[in-house]
Amino acid sequence: MKQKASPADVPVYLFKQGNNFESQRFFGAHFEGDCVTFRTYAPGAQAVELIGEFNGWQGMPMAMWAVFAKSFEKQLTEVFGYDAKTAKAIRKTAKLKYKEIIAKLPEFEKGDRFSMNIIGCAMLGAFVLCMPRRPDTESLTVYYENAQMTPLMKWFCRQSGKSKFTPKDIAGMKATAARKAADRNPYSWNMDFYEYPDGSGYEGRFTKCGICTLMQELGLYDLTPAMCHLDYTMSEAGGVTNFVRQYTLASGGPYCDCGYQKKRV
């Protein structure tokens, strides 16, 4: 006897037919009573992970690998000239190195906004350590920027730009400055926050940098400036700020200043 489909099955049935044009009402996260239900359809996936504050962002490193690894592989050919076979081999080896690096990092505190930064550093470090030839800082700067600025990252920057300089953004920056997370986790950051007196923007002044710590441990400290330039690119992609900087810790400065000036319309 054929089992009658429940109302919840109908969207999936139509989805498989290619006739469901409102799948967002079924898939994704939805409130159901006092709970949230998450549904996805990924028959070819090896694994699916749901991450967020509810589980301390566990799973984030491998989720980020899934998002960016192919881009890092592609840029091995585009920037360094490795053939496709070699680039693929580097990616496979780098995944093991990446897991090794991530496993040694401590858990970041809830609310620490810099966990994503250290994940990016771990990924770049893993790829560099698995390259047959050590890159120079200039070429690695181009490589890292191209690998990071995927369509998804550009969208993220635009979304972040929409909330720049809002009360919520300012409050978040002040809370980060007060947290001084690097006092307890050397792979995080300490910063001071300064609003420009003329109201034209603000600056985060970093005195401790998790990327510097990790790159030093990986024996790649001289290549750290390759990561610093991404701040300019992400600011430009956001569309609302001009990024200004005088010093970086990686280049021997007394601190690393990240200034965001409002673009004039």
Side-chain angles (χ1 to χ4, degrees):
M1 180 177 178
K2 186 176 180 180
Q3 186 177 2
K4 184 178 179 180
S6 70
D9 292 328
V10 176
V12 177
Y13 168 70
L14 294 175
F15 181 78
K16 291 179 179 179
Q17 279 190 335
N19 294 322
N20 186 343
F21 303 109
E22 295 187 354
S23 58
Q24 76 280 359
R25 298 174 63 180
F26 182 72
F27 293 114
H30 297 276
F31 283 103
E32 295 185 355
D34 59 352
C35 300
V36 175
T37 298
F38 182 85
R39 304 183 185 91
T40 190
Y41 181 74
Q46 295 182 355
V48 175
E49 294 188 43
L50 188 63
I51 56 178
E53 289 186 356
F54 56 86
N55 64 355
W57 297 98
Q58 293 179 12
M60 175 65 80
M62 295 318 299
M64 295 306 295
W65 179 270
V67 171
F68 288 102
K70 281 289 187 180
S71 180
F72 274 69
E73 177 185 341
K74 178 182 178 182
Q75 293 306 318
L76 289 170
T77 299
E78 296 291 330
V79 177
F80 298 120
Y82 291 111
D83 59 65
K85 182 178 179 180
T86 302
K88 185 176 182 179
I90 292 173
R91 175 175 61 83
K92 288 185 175 181
T93 307
K95 185 175 183 179
L96 299 176
K97 176 59 69 173
Y98 175 69
K99 289 182 176 180
E100 178 186 317
I101 295 170
I102 290 295
K104 295 179 181 178
L105 298 177
E107 183 177 343
F108 275 60
E109 297 173 4
K110 183 178 180 180
D112 189 336
R113 65 194 299 161
F114 296 115
S115 59
M116 293 277 288
N117 301 59
I118 207 67
I119 289 172
C121 178
M123 189 175 297
L124 180 65
F127 271 88
V128 172
L129 291 171
C130 294
M131 293 181 192
R133 302 183 301 273
R134 184 185 177 94
D136 58 63
T137 304
E138 184 176 354
S139 61
L140 191 63
T141 299
V142 176
Y143 171 77
Y144 186 61
E145 179 178 315
N146 291 355
Q148 282 279 5
M149 296 308 292
T150 62
L152 178 61
M153 178 61 87
K154 292 176 182 178
W155 173 86
F156 172 79
C157 291
R158 291 193 298 270
Q159 293 302 114
S160 297
K162 293 178 182 179
S163 62
K164 204 73 171 175
F165 307 119
T166 62
K168 183 178 180 180
D169 176 45
I170 300 296
M173 293 295 289
K174 289 180 178 179
T176 297
R179 182 171 285 111
K180 303 295 183 188
D183 288 347
R184 298 170 298 282
N185 178 359
Y187 302 97
S188 189
W189 280 253
N190 277 2
M191 61 165 277
D192 296 313
F193 177 69
Y194 302 94
E195 294 185 73
Y196 297 149
D198 60 1
S200 63
Y202 61 64
E203 174 185 311
R205 188 172 296 179
F206 295 85
T207 53
K208 291 185 179 180
C209 169
I211 286 176
C212 288
T213 301
L214 182 56
M215 291 293 273
Q216 182 77 52
E217 291 182 0
L218 296 177
L220 303 174
Y221 189 74
D222 59 304
L223 299 176
T224 307
M227 300 190 68
C228 302
H229 190 267
L230 188 65
D231 292 325
Y232 291 90
T233 307
M234 293 182 67
S235 172
E236 186 63 28
V240 298
T241 61
N242 291 315
F243 186 81
V244 292
R245 167 176 286 156
Q246 185 176 6
Y247 302 111
T248 64
L249 292 168
S251 298
Y255 51 78
C256 183
D257 51 325
C258 296
Y260 296 90
Q261 297 179 340
K262 298 176 182 178
K263 281 192 174 182
R264 296 180 179 178
V265 180

